[in-house]
Amino acid sequence: MRDEPKWSAAHDAAAPFGHVGRFLAELLKLASDYGIADMLIFHKLSDLDNVGDQGSAMRALASSLLANAETRIVYRQESDQLGSTATALGLTGTEQSLLPTLGTGQGLWRIKHRSFVVQHQLHPAELELFDTTGR
């Protein structure tokens, strides 16, 4: 049933690289053959700096996963993450300056070479599940 949308999500995607990095990379390559859209979630892109040693094959593999992503969604970033996030994602100065100003539910969507600020709308039941302001 290829007509039904399917998603595969890896939350905190940098964490498992020590053991399953190659498997994850192969899974992402094969997913499109089965109509699966993959989502890798990073809390901070600087987490990729903890994957393998500088110049190692594992670090290169982790970086290639990010480089191959055609759609990137970035939420508000702390000031200490702005430079590394902008460099890793190839953000313009304008895009980088937007990141610390994004409000709750707002994200900068980069789709190939175009960018949009998107306000996500949640149903009240979804908001109850995903509201992290009190945590």
Side-chain angles (χ1 to χ4, degrees):
M1 297 225 180
R2 288 186 54 97
D3 295 349
E4 297 177 16
K6 298 171 195 74
W7 285 89
S8 168
H11 183 258
D12 211 0
F17 262 86
H19 301 287
V20 295
R22 284 187 179 81
F23 172 76
L24 182 59
E26 287 302 315
L27 179 68
L28 295 176
K29 286 180 187 176
L30 294 172
S32 64
D33 292 343
Y34 295 97
I36 298 171
D38 292 299
M39 181 184 328
L40 301 177
I41 302 167
F42 299 94
H43 291 276
K44 297 184 288 186
L45 289 178
S46 60
D47 289 345
L48 289 172
D49 295 337
N50 298 323
V51 175
D53 295 324
Q54 181 74 1
S56 70
M58 198 56 63
R59 176 82 60 93
L61 178 62
S63 297
S64 74
L65 292 178
L66 181 61
N68 290 334
E70 290 185 356
T71 301
R72 300 163 180 182
I73 305 167
V74 186
Y75 294 101
R76 182 176 45 233
Q77 298 287 302
E78 297 298 328
S79 59
D80 67 329
Q81 298 295 312
L82 290 175
S84 59
T85 299
T87 299
L89 298 178
L91 300 181
T92 66
T94 301
E95 291 166 335
Q96 180 178 345
S97 67
L98 281 171
L99 296 182
T101 69
L102 295 172
T104 301
Q106 289 183 325
L108 175 68
W109 283 58
R110 281 284 304 267
I111 303 171
K112 295 191 180 185
H113 300 292
R114 299 179 65 198
S115 60
F116 310 88
V117 173
V118 175
Q119 175 67 51
H120 300 131
Q121 302 295 314
L122 296 175
H123 183 276
E126 293 172 316
L127 183 58
E128 187 176 323
L129 286 172
F130 298 109
D131 182 12
T132 60
T133 56
R135 297 180 203 163

